[in-house]
Amino acid sequence: MKPTVRRIGVLTSGGDAPGMNAAIRAVVRMALHLGIEVIGIRRGYHGLINGDFVKLDFESVSDISRRGGTMLYSARSKEFMTEAGQEKALATCKLLGLDALVGIGGDGTFNGLLALAKKGISVVGIPGTIDNDIACSTYTIGYDTACNTALESIDRLRDTMKSHERCSVVEVMGRHAGHLAMSVGLAVGATVVVMPEEHLDFEASVIEPIRCARLSGRTHFMVIVAEGVEGGACGVAQRIKEELVLDTRVTILGHVQRGGSPTSRDRIIATYMGHEAVKLLAEGKTCRVVAMDGEKVVDYDIAEALQMTKGLEQYGLEVMSDLTGIDVVL
Ligand code: F6P
């Protein structure tokens, strides 16, 4: 393969996700394999605007795959959303002699890449977010680790909820998406899962399943709520308390879900994606997003990818409905 690029930049932007380091490592190692230099841009687009960079070599990415967070730091840059900010970022690319940029993050990161592509930089995006809400990809880096972190905490919660015969209302991350809530709910065997995508009939989907579980002999209840649900876990807990007079406790798992050593799934997929991103750039391709289609690595045009939509996984919803008796209305 004859590379058409000589020096690429790599950055992580938006909310971090476990596995981002494995993706950075794969980008660097694949690039070096093809004789391409790599510059790490620190603090996402904020760093690109301010020329905050570090040269990455073989050794600088050694032993990072097992670490949570991102060695390049991350940020959400408001300035980069402006034309002036994008011009400054372009100036940094020119100053550093970057032919191409790999951006690891979510839709905001991909929008940023698109803006730079319009100014002549070759770009490839890699989906990294614990929310698994990138429409073009069935999987995003960090999702598996976040699910496992949440379920470990919820297993612990269940012990104490069971002893005290309480109702536990747990809020998991997901500002706009219920993928994490659904997976975690399935994994812990929740009584109820509430997701932002559904048209919630509170009586039918929350109160009645708890009542049914009580009638079946259960004396503790696990309710999983995605962060993006109106009122969040506190709102849901309040209504449960009012309507069922149950001893209820709220736990907001929050940013703990974004940390920790990535699972093997996150490390492997991140490694595939990082490898593929550099391969695409070396082949002279640009404006692409690397994605997973099941177990297969694929890629899409960024602009097209940003237009795609992704619903909750139908099969998971069906299983959940059969096991909890809740019909999720989307
Ligand atoms: O990265 C996605 C996410 O973790 C969402 O689930 C959450 O709503 C958001 O980021 C939190 O962002 P921040 O870290 O900026 O508070």
Side-chain angles (χ1 to χ4, degrees), residues 164-234:
H164 288 268
E165 298 179 296
R166 283 173 171 160
C167 175
S168 184
V169 182
V170 184
E171 186 175 297
V172 299
M173 273 192 164
R175 200 166 10 204
H176 307 292
H179 304 285
L180 193 58
M182 188 173 92
S183 291
V184 167
L186 283 165
V188 301
T191 318
V192 170
V193 180
V194 190
M195 298 160 290
E197 290 88 344
E198 57 182 312
H199 291 99
L200 187 64
D201 176 341
F202 204 84
E203 178 63 30
S205 297
V206 181
I207 299 299
E208 200 49 34
I210 296 175
R211 196 174 274 139
C212 280
R214 181 67 196 97
L215 286 167
S216 310
R218 178 164 285 263
T219 57
H220 76 281
F221 312 93
M222 188 58 71
V223 177
I224 310 293
V225 180
E227 175 192 5
V229 167
E230 209 189 321
C234 293

Side-chain angles (χ1 to χ4, degrees), residues 14-16 76 128-131 173-176 180 227 255 258:
D16 64 348
R76 300 187 197 273
T129 162
I130 65 160
D131 290 354
M173 273 192 164
R175 200 166 10 204
H176 307 292
L180 193 58
E227 175 192 5
H255 288 80
R258 286 235 299 255

Side-chain angles (χ1 to χ4, degrees), residues 72-84:
L72 292 176
Y73 303 95
S74 192
R76 300 187 197 273
S77 169
K78 286 218 170 77
E79 192 182 355
F80 187 73
M81 290 179 184
T82 66
E83 176 61 25

